[in-house]
């Protein structure tokens, strides 16, 4: 069996997220598996580096699948880009080591959240940024973010109530930039829980709006209670930028 | 009567162009008139600086309409942005001189055509750039463009066969830039005929691909025959950037 590693870019607007759900094929994984199954004539199971929610985008999502085929990587990439819709593009296909697993081997992920803070929302990026016409206090947000760096139990920032596994994760960096009213927040860490980046963003935005003090982050972490943290920021501003191995 | 000048940005993807067509309101003008008529309780006619084709975008389209109202400019803008769809935004409303006419008083227009020349089309801008994965010879295109600068009869670059008025126009500048495989062509001139920017772009791209020599432009201009010029580049890469008065 060959083990193929695929790197993809997608516009999540039209999809119910990455993960296949029962019979619905309106997911990125579903689209990919359906084209690969057509290509090979067999049922192919694709493993993604992680789920992305409905409406969330990816610049470099990584997935892998196993199959023995005579096609080379370039031919697989061209087949996929011919039959996949234009809002999913395969950037790269390579042969990976036999034991490579896109989720289990991931060591770090980089997510980005983009907010259009201008009074009038840019029409061309309306599906790719969240529009909050608010003058955020970036310095307060940076102070709040500092409490989140390092290893913590992020249970308060997880929307999965039935989560049985550890909710301890390490955030390496949270960086802010503002240009022409576009606020970008970059998150890197060893892993992120269900909705974690969106709840972190929502909580930081509440700090930036003056609704919470930066110091509150400590209490929220300690509480291990989702209701203590801020709102879940909407999906269209979120991007999976890169998966590290 | 007050004369209001409106500056608008729109994503043309969903629309049949600027101009109202019979009963269809699926045009930018139609949407604008319908919201203004709701606002005023009267039939309002909006004059645009010029038509944009179906699928063509605008960063700063200018229009004007006459009406006596107690609402100030800011209130009109807010009303429009509340009731217009999110792919049409009003950037500005001001009171213009009584005789101001957005089309008749325009002295210069700036259009931009954007081509994604990368092998794999960026998913996020697929409706906002034309994808031609071609390695264009920009120097040849610049040579060809030089023949187009100045006052010429652009009949060969006009898709309106029944055009009875003058087809003489002045092109002030055609500028090229390439960044990360994105080719941008900026056109400024005192006016552009039906499909003119798209035919100019198509012809220049044929030069850049080596299908025509730059010198052919002279013959095309002299022929005053549409069939001599290149193809009409697709609408999604075209933007009305600015109207000058």
């Amino acid at each position: 069996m060959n083990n193929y590693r695929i790197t993809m870019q997608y516009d999540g607007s039209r999809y119910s997220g990455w993960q296949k759900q029962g019979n619905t094929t309106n997911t990125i994984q579903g689209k990919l598996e359906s084209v690969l199954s057509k290509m090979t004539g067999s049922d192919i199971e694709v493993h993604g580096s992680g789920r992305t929610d409905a409406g969330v985008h990816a610049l470099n999502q990584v997935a892998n699948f196993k199959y023995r085929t005579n096609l080379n990587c370039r031919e697989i990439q061209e087949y996929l880009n011919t039959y996949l819709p234009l809002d999913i593009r395969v950037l790269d296909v390579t042969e990976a080591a036999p034991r490579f697993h896109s989720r289990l081997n991931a060591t770090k992920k980089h997510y980005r959240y983009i907010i259009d803070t201008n009074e009038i929302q840019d029409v061309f990026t309306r599906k790719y940024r969240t529009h909050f016409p608010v003058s955020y206090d970036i310095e307060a947000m940076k102070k709040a973010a500092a409490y989140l760096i390092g290893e913590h139990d992020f249970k308060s920032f997880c929307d999965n109530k039935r989560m049985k596994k550890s909710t301890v994760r390490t955030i390496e960096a949270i960086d802010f930039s503002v240009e022409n009213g576009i606020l970008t927040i970059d998150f890197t860490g060893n892993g992120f829980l269900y909705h974690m980046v969106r709840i972190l963003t929502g909580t930081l935005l509440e700090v930036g709006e003056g609704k919470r003090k930066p110091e509150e982050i400590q209490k929220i972490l300690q509480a291990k209670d989702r209701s203590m943290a801020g709102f879940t920021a909407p999906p269209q501003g979120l991007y999976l930028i890169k998966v590290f191995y």
Side-chain angles (χ1 to χ4, degrees), chain A:
Chain A
M1 295 288 255
N2 301 342
N3 189 7
Y4 294 99
R5 173 176 163 164
I6 306 179
T7 308
M8 278 166 298
Q9 186 187 75
Y10 50 79
D11 171 352
S13 310
R14 288 199 307 138
Y15 298 98
S16 312
W18 165 264
Q19 197 177 40
K20 215 172 25 181
Q21 293 158 355
N23 290 321
T24 173
T25 55
N26 193 33
T27 62
I28 318 293
Q29 186 187 21
K31 289 283 175 202
L32 201 59
E33 290 186 352
S34 136
V35 176
L36 283 170
S37 299
K38 191 193 287 178
M39 185 184 89
T40 60
S42 313
D43 278 352
I44 297 284
E45 201 185 341
V46 172
H47 301 280
S49 80
R51 307 173 191 181
T52 51
D53 303 332
V56 170
H57 316 295
L59 287 193
N60 291 286
Q61 168 70 292
V62 178
N64 72 296
F65 74 95
K66 292 184 179 182
Y67 193 71
R68 177 162 297 288
T69 162
N70 293 326
L71 296 172
N72 65 37
C73 291
R74 180 76 191 169
E75 288 166 328
I76 295 172
Q77 183 188 9
E78 284 178 0
Y79 188 96
L80 287 168
N81 281 336
T82 302
Y83 292 103
L84 283 169
L86 284 173
D87 49 9
I88 306 176
R89 294 288 87 187
V90 173
L91 305 181
D92 194 42
V93 177
T94 55
E95 262 201 72
R99 302 197 59 178
F100 172 78
H101 187 291
S102 59
R103 181 169 53 82
L104 300 175
N105 294 152
T107 54
K108 188 162 92 170
K109 280 184 181 169
H110 173 189
Y111 281 95
R112 177 172 291 161
Y113 200 96
I114 309 181
I115 301 134
D116 184 343
T117 71
N118 292 310
E119 188 202 334
I120 297 170
Q121 181 177 29
D122 180 78
V123 299
F124 302 105
T125 51
R126 67 193 191 283
K127 291 177 182 169
Y128 309 123
R129 294 170 183 166
T130 297
H131 185 231
F132 290 135
V134 172
S135 176
Y136 291 105
D137 178 347
I138 308 295
E139 289 313 308
M141 293 172 79
K142 284 183 182 173
K143 268 190 205 169
Y147 293 109
L148 295 161
I149 305 300
E151 186 180 89
H152 298 283
D153 187 334
F154 286 98
K155 197 167 196 297
S156 295
F157 295 92
C158 174
D159 264 338
N160 181 357
K161 286 178 189 165
R162 294 182 207 149
M163 180 75 175
K164 286 172 187 165
K165 297 180 193 164
S166 166
T167 45
V168 173
R169 295 289 185 279
T170 300
I171 294 185
E172 194 178 286
I174 302 177
D175 294 314
F176 298 82
S177 80
V178 187
E179 205 182 326
N180 300 323
I182 307 305
L183 168 59
T184 301
I185 315 179
D186 283 286
F187 299 86
T188 49
N190 67 351
F192 292 90
L193 304 162
Y194 182 55
H195 280 178
M196 180 168 152
V197 180
R198 293 166 58 188
I199 303 169
L200 288 169
T201 300
T203 309
L204 291 170
L205 291 175
E206 289 175 7
V207 170
E209 234 182 320
K211 290 180 179 167
R212 293 173 181 268
K213 293 214 181 310
E215 296 73 28
E216 272 183 58
I217 297 292
Q218 294 171 291
K219 269 193 250 169
I220 299 171
L221 283 168
Q222 284 156 17
K224 296 175 194 175
D225 173 359
R226 167 67 186 96
S227 71
M228 292 288 283
F231 75 108
T232 304
Q236 72 270 20
L238 183 60
Y239 296 75
L240 170 58
I241 301 289
K242 197 175 171 181
V243 187
F244 295 80
Y245 294 96

